[in-house]
Amino acid sequence: MTTPLGNYAIVDNRITRMVRSALHTAEETWFARIAARLTGQVRARVLALVAAADDVEEDQDGAGAEDGESVLTLVKAMPGNVSLESMLREIRKLTAIRAIGLPVSLFADVAPKVLVSWRQRAAVESPSHLRRRSDEAAVTLLSALLVEREREVTDSLVDLLIATVHRIGARAEQRVTNELINAFKRVSGKEDILFAIAEASLAVPDGEVRDVVFPAVRGGEQTLRELVHEYKTKGPVYRRTVQTTLKASYTNHYRKGLIELLGVLEFRSNNCAYRPVIDALGLVQRYAKAGNTTYYPFGESAPEHRGTRGQWAELVHRADKRGRRRIVRMVYEVVTFQALREQLRCKEVWVVGAGRWRNPDEDLPGDFEARRIEHYGELRKPLDPAVFTSSLRQEMERALADLDEALPELDWVEVKERKAGAIKFTAPDAQEEPRNLRRVKNEVSRRWNAVPLIDMLKEAVLRTGCLKAVASVAGSGHLAPEVLAERLMLAIYAYGTNTGIRSVAGGAHGHTEEEIRYVRRRYLTPEAAREIAVEIANATFAARDAGLWGAGSTAVASDSTHFRSWDQNLFTEWHSRYGGRGILVYWHVERGSVVVHSQTLRASASEVAAMVEGAIRHGTTMRVEGNYVDSHGQSEIGFGVTRLLNVDLLPRIKQINRVRLYRPNADEAGAYPNLQTALTRPIRWDVIDANYDQVIKYATAIRTGTASTEAILSRFTRAASHLAYQAMLEIGRAQRTCFVARYLRDRALQREIEEGLNVVESWNAANAVIYYGKGGEISTNRREEVEMAALCLRILQASLVYVNTLMLQAVLAEPAWSGLLTPADRRGLTPLFWGHVRPYGEVRLDLGTRLALRAHPPALEAQ
């Protein structure tokens, strides 16, 4: 006789089977439909990828052997570092993908998420597994992989083009500088030298230089020689030397790859002002194999663009032996590639078939015109631009008036004329750490001493049930929940500590290296890891005792951490601030030390874009209304975008003495008398009014995610010329003026920003403790592996904060400890500490043992 609960279980299992059967049937129908769109020849070429492929699993770097590698291995392989070899390999990869002959519109009616899931399944399955599938299924999955990889390879080639052209110029400058540095000496008092020479020459106009000029200069002939060297190393002669060296480097090495690249990439522009660069690329390609021809032939029209003018004009145009003005072919190619690089970076030139470098018009929401009122409502912005500018203008007037009135009473701010900047600001003194907090942390260490980090992760997983949404990438999984959970935790631990799966597999847990790698490959995708981190963050918010931690915060602090990584990675770049090659991981951490978002960045990427992306797309239950950032995370564009997205940007501006405050009105020159030396021109409200609808469209694109924030903001650079950029700048200048006026006046706001940034600094300090393997260096050239390392580190730290929150609450729930805390103690209370944690040693994992905390829900059993 079955119980009611048993009946429910039977019904639930039956419904699950029915849903799975329906999904399987629908997917098989899609497979047949996609395969039917291909000709027999194309289907045969697709199936040939797995027929001839090696069944040996690829290593974690995905790098195939050069000799005899299969096309499928080549397609899956990630690009290497910035080099000619990497460029030629990516060109070969793109050519191989296009040779299959897949139609452009093959997946036009397939949802992007479905296409990505098919691609992931084809990427993780071995050729033998794909061969066991039906032809329709194999063709569809492999086609999805090819289509997605074609877009990614195109993006990689654009990245390589931009980085290579930059490298040619940077290395030329470095080479010339190193050659001249020994002869270079800075000569001071040039005006005095010139006056002395002129005076001596006029006094004895018929005398000899050695007798008249040399004695007139202190140091004589040697000083004049040093002056000549300085001119050569800093003036036009130096520039010409660099240009000549750059041309030689391009001609002798990099030209082969860049010319071949023109044959596989199609460049376009939506702005006729940039058409000359596109036409110039056509000219370069037509004469790419013209041998040693120095000049372009007579009668050939060479389009003039920004690169052919200015400093390069003298080298681009040269007189031949007959005195005729000609265009030097190799120099013209160099300046054309330099101009192409600049216009690609601001997306005035785009690439057909690319993803990140696609047509910028596709980044904007296609339904904006039809749903204008709805989009304005989502941003909480008025439809009338006059209403928006009037509100912003009034806010500026109030902020400046309040600062002007309070300034005489503020002993930490002084505004007057100075060479170093009109504003003199004294930061608030650092507050001492409350002593009782140290006692509380010591009590936690006494009760839970030397807790293995893997146990912190295990406790967070079992209590939150964060693994319940993890499913097999390949579409089928038959592992028991407990086995899957253990292997997932081991894989997360291996990536998050950077010790590697091989090292973790040697611990006491009963799982082999091959089994852990299998689970990592089939289950632990970046999307799954991101969801796990979000679930732990949400569980931390839910577990907090409001009486202890206070009301939920609405502000996050964001900053980046630099991780050194292998130079074979295209993602790796030299970072001048950190002094080494690597990548950045950008964190968003709320006041209670819970990480809500993370993302991997190139060293040259905009931290402003990363800040905006994390603030609006973190995915947790937290409502972000403010964002604390350091100087690198703010700019005038950043202030403009966050104003439109309703996020209060709260930066710590290092050179605040040089900040200029904009005037709200043009006809009030005498307003704000105490701030006159710090004021500059009025805001151009007419520019905002004229382009208000366009900037709202860009803000909507960021909010809805039609494109990444970085792709949108890449258009808003000084190289761009469209008016929307100018309007966004004016909004940002007005918003920054409001913030600076408020910041200078409000001591509490200054301390709030410092405290918020201290939280993210502590988070960065914890990175070195947890991510200790291989000296903290990322040793892979696969971007997905780099991202996975950052996400697993985020999961480990989120687990640490979650468990520490429960431990602190367990201690402070006792009257003897709760009454100990003063208001200062409560303000400084944080769960981000690790003195009681043991991140090193043998990895032991046993789901049957638990930390001595309060009762926990059976989260794992519910999966």
Side-chain angles (χ1 to χ4, degrees):
M1 180 176 178
T2 60
T3 64
L5 290 177
N7 289 332
Y8 283 127
I10 293 173
V11 172
D12 182 63
N13 291 335
R14 189 176 300 166
I15 292 175
T16 301
R17 288 196 300 270
M18 292 173 62
V19 171
R20 288 179 176 174
S21 176
L23 290 175
H24 176 75
T25 302
E27 188 174 64
E28 291 296 326
T29 302
W30 268 109
F31 288 164
R33 184 182 304 170
I34 297 297
R37 295 173 181 175
L38 303 176
T39 65
Q41 290 181 338
V42 173
R43 287 199 299 270
R45 285 196 289 266
V46 172
L47 292 174
L49 294 175
V50 291
D54 187 0
D55 288 338
V56 178
E57 298 286 355
E58 64 181 10
D59 63 18
Q60 66 174 0
D61 287 336
E66 288 289 339
D67 297 331
E69 67 179 350
S70 67
V71 175
L72 185 61
T73 302
L74 176 66
V75 168
K76 289 184 179 181
M78 294 296 107
N81 61 341
V82 180
S83 65
L84 176 61
E85 291 73 19
S86 294
M87 185 178 294
L88 295 176
R89 181 178 172 83
E90 292 302 295
I91 291 172
R92 186 157 56 93
K93 189 183 302 179
L94 185 59
T95 303
I97 294 173
R98 290 177 176 175
I100 302 295
L102 294 175
V104 176
S105 60
L106 180 61
F107 296 104
D109 53 351
V110 178
K113 287 186 178 180
V114 175
L115 184 61
V116 169
S117 69
W118 288 347
R119 170 260 172 88
Q120 290 175 337
R121 287 160 65 176
V124 301
E125 289 193 7
S126 65
S128 59
H129 289 162
L130 288 169
R131 286 196 295 267
R132 287 198 293 268
R133 288 183 174 273
S134 65
D135 286 352
E136 291 79 5
V139 165
T140 302
L141 296 179
L142 287 169
S143 297
L145 174 65
L146 293 171
V147 168
E148 289 289 291
R149 285 296 293 146
E150 181 178 7
R151 183 160 48 245
E152 292 170 359
V153 173
T154 303
D155 283 336
S156 296
L157 280 172
V158 179
D159 292 334
L160 284 167
L161 185 153
I162 292 173
T164 299
V165 174
H166 171 73
R167 171 172 288 192
I168 296 172
R171 289 192 170 182
E173 290 187 7
Q174 183 179 13
R175 187 180 306 169
V176 174
T177 300
N178 289 339
E179 291 175 356
L180 299 176
I181 195 66
N182 293 330
F184 169 73
K185 290 184 179 179
R186 186 176 180 84
V187 180
S188 59
K190 300 180 183 65
E191 294 82 1
D192 295 338
I193 294 174
L194 178 61
F195 175 77
I197 292 175
E199 186 179 41
S201 300
L202 291 174
V204 189
D206 297 328
E208 295 185 0
V209 172
R210 188 173 297 278
D211 297 332
V212 176
V213 176
F214 287 177
V217 179
R218 179 180 298 180
E221 182 180 358
Q222 183 60 31
T223 298
L224 294 177
R225 289 185 182 277
E226 293 172 359
L227 187 62
V228 171
H229 280 303
E230 180 177 344
Y231 174 79
K232 288 182 177 180
T233 54
K234 297 188 71 175
V237 175
Y238 171 74
R239 287 198 303 271
R240 283 197 295 272
T241 305
V242 170
Q243 292 165 351
T244 304
T245 306
L246 189 154
K247 169 183 168 294
S249 178
Y250 164 79
T251 304
N252 297 330
H253 185 69
Y254 291 103
R255 183 177 184 271
K256 177 182 178 182
L258 292 173
I259 292 297
E260 285 196 25
L261 189 144
L262 293 181
V264 296
L265 296 185
E266 182 180 353
F267 299 95
R268 293 184 184 177
S269 177
N270 300 332
N271 190 337
C272 60
Y274 298 94
R275 184 66 201 178
V277 173
I278 307 296
D279 296 337
L281 291 174
L283 175 64
V284 169
Q285 192 171 7
R286 286 200 305 274
Y287 289 92
K289 298 181 179 180
N292 295 324
T293 306
T294 304
Y295 306 104
Y296 285 114
F298 283 110
E300 185 65 67
S301 176
E304 286 196 7
H305 50 76
R306 185 179 301 178
T308 61
R309 298 185 289 271
Q311 297 179 356
W312 282 90
E314 296 181 10
L315 292 180
V316 172
H317 300 93
R318 194 168 65 190
D320 61 10
K321 294 180 179 179
R322 299 182 181 180
R324 296 172 297 185
R325 191 169 183 265
R326 305 286 293 276
I327 296 177
V328 182
R329 187 164 64 96
M330 290 302 172
V331 179
Y332 188 82
E333 291 182 6
V334 169
V335 299
T336 298
F337 279 117
Q338 286 185 324
L340 175 64
R341 174 182 180 269
E342 293 304 318
Q343 292 167 20
L344 278 170
R345 294 180 68 197
C346 64
K347 300 196 76 170
E348 293 292 355
V349 172
W350 52 275
V351 180
V352 177
R356 288 180 293 108
W357 303 103
R358 65 181 178 179
N359 184 349
D361 290 345
E362 297 177 13
D363 294 340
L364 299 177
D367 63 349
F368 185 80
E369 299 300 330
R371 300 174 56 197
R372 170 175 293 167
I373 296 177
E374 182 181 344
H375 287 310
Y376 271 81
E378 290 290 341
L379 290 173
R380 305 200 298 274
K381 294 295 179 289
L383 290 169
D384 187 354
V387 176
F388 174 80
T389 53
S390 176
S391 174
L392 184 54
R393 189 201 303 254
Q394 291 174 11
E395 188 176 334
M396 284 185 69
E397 291 171 348
R398 286 195 302 269
L400 290 173
D402 290 344
L403 177 61
D404 184 73
E405 180 181 352
L407 190 60
E409 306 298 328
L410 304 179
D411 56 0
W412 59 82
V413 183
E414 185 180 19
V415 179
K416 67 178 185 181
E417 190 66 41
R418 287 187 187 84
K419 183 180 295 185
I423 301 174
K424 183 179 181 181
F425 172 74
T426 304
D429 296 331
Q431 296 178 319
E432 294 183 4
E433 180 185 1
R435 297 182 179 180
N436 292 328
L437 290 184
R438 191 173 301 172
R439 296 174 61 185
V440 173
K441 292 178 182 179
N442 290 338
E443 177 63 16
V444 170
S445 297
R446 187 188 68 79
R447 297 190 187 187
W448 298 278
N449 185 36
V451 180
L453 182 60
I454 189 70
D455 285 353
M456 290 276 198
L457 174 63
K458 177 185 67 178
E459 198 68 30
V461 166
L462 295 180
R463 285 175 172 269
T464 64
C466 59
L467 301 183
K468 62 181 179 295
V470 177
S472 173
V473 175
S476 62
H478 307 287
L479 291 174
E482 295 81 3
V483 175
L484 175 60
E486 287 189 352
R487 293 177 184 174
L488 282 172
M489 283 187 272
L490 292 170
I492 291 170
Y493 186 85
Y495 276 86
T497 59
N498 203 32
T499 52
I501 291 178
R502 180 170 301 173
S503 175
V504 169
H509 43 67
H511 302 285
T512 65
E513 178 183 352
E514 182 180 355
E515 290 169 341
I516 300 173
R517 290 193 185 279
Y518 174 85
V519 166
R520 152 65 186 101
R521 187 171 62 253
R522 293 216 167 200
Y523 290 86
L524 192 59
T525 63
E527 292 76 18
R530 194 173 292 109
E531 186 62 30
I532 292 171
V534 167
E535 288 293 328
I536 296 176
N538 290 338
T540 307
F541 295 144
R544 279 180 179 168
D545 182 354
L548 178 62
W549 303 98
S553 173
T554 59
V556 295
S558 55
D559 196 13
S560 60
T561 307
H562 184 259
F563 289 89
R564 295 184 181 274
S565 62
W566 279 5
D567 193 28
Q568 288 79 10
N569 185 358
L570 177 60
F571 208 53
T572 299
E573 290 181 340
W574 176 270
H575 199 289
S576 57
R577 178 154 47 104
Y578 294 102
R581 301 191 67 83
I583 64 150
L584 298 179
V585 179
Y586 199 80
W587 310 99
H588 282 72
V589 187
E590 60 92 49
R591 295 288 298 274
S593 300
V594 175
V595 59
V596 298
H597 193 263
S598 66
Q599 52 194 308
T600 53
L601 305 174
R602 286 186 174 85
S604 60
S606 167
E607 292 194 15
V608 176
M611 177 271 299
V612 174
E613 185 81 8
I616 66 171
R617 259 192 287 281
H618 50 85
T620 70
T621 56
M622 181 183 179
R623 181 182 178 89
V624 176
E625 297 178 351
N627 198 316
Y628 311 112
V629 296
D630 216 333
S631 293
H632 302 284
Q634 60 86 28
S635 67
E636 291 175 341
I637 285 293
F639 273 104
V641 172
T642 51
R643 172 76 187 205
L644 295 173
L645 295 172
N646 305 302
V647 176
D648 194 8
L649 182 57
L650 303 168
R652 175 175 58 193
I653 305 176
K654 290 184 178 179
Q655 293 185 334
I656 198 169
N657 57 305
R658 298 187 180 277
V659 171
R660 306 291 288 180
L661 303 174
Y662 285 80
R663 299 177 185 271
N665 302 298
D667 54 352
E668 297 180 354
Y672 321 112
N674 294 321
L675 305 176
Q676 285 299 311
T677 55
L679 293 173
T680 183
R681 68 165 177 84
I683 295 294
R684 295 197 288 263
W685 303 108
D686 58 323
V687 175
I688 300 175
D689 286 340
N691 299 277
Y692 178 63
D693 193 64
Q694 190 69 10
V695 296
I696 290 293
K697 184 182 291 187
Y698 280 107
T700 300
I702 295 174
R703 181 187 63 81
T704 58
T706 55
S708 68
T709 307
E710 184 178 8
I712 297 293
L713 294 189
S714 64
R715 302 203 71 184
F716 294 153
T717 62
R718 299 194 183 278
S721 60
H722 52 82
L723 293 176
Y725 168 65
Q726 302 298 330
M728 191 74 80
L729 271 181
E730 293 300 312
I731 296 173
R733 287 161 179 162
Q735 180 64 21
R736 188 172 73 162
T737 297
C738 295
F739 166 76
V740 172
R742 178 163 57 111
Y743 178 83
L744 293 175
R745 183 173 53 86
D746 192 344
R747 206 60 161 171
L749 177 61
Q750 298 165 18
R751 290 195 175 96
E752 177 188 339
I753 293 174
E754 289 293 335
E755 290 171 1
L757 291 175
N758 286 341
V759 171
V760 77
E761 290 294 340
S762 298
W763 181 272
N764 288 335
N767 291 329
V769 176
I770 297 176
Y771 198 77
Y772 63 87
K774 303 179 181 68
E777 183 179 53
I778 298 175
S779 53
T780 176
N781 73 338
R782 291 185 61 136
R783 179 167 182 173
E784 180 180 311
E785 295 285 311
V786 173
E787 186 178 10
M788 182 59 65
L791 287 169
C792 290
L793 172 59
R794 171 181 165 185
I795 292 172
L796 290 181
Q797 290 196 224
S799 302
L800 171 70
V801 169
Y802 173 72
V803 175
N804 279 353
T805 299
L806 299 180
M807 289 179 173
L808 284 172
Q809 291 181 176
V811 171
L812 295 174
E814 301 173 5
W817 287 100
S818 61
L820 187 68
L821 297 184
T822 65
D825 293 321
R826 292 182 181 275
R827 283 197 305 270
L829 187 64
T830 174
L832 186 59
F833 59 97
W834 51 87
H836 60 301
V837 179
R838 178 166 57 84
Y840 317 113
E842 184 182 16
V843 179
R844 297 177 177 272
L845 181 60
D846 181 7
L847 297 185
T849 62
R850 304 293 295 273
L851 295 178
L853 292 169
R854 289 188 298 176
H856 49 82
L860 182 60
E861 289 77 9
Q863 295 181 30

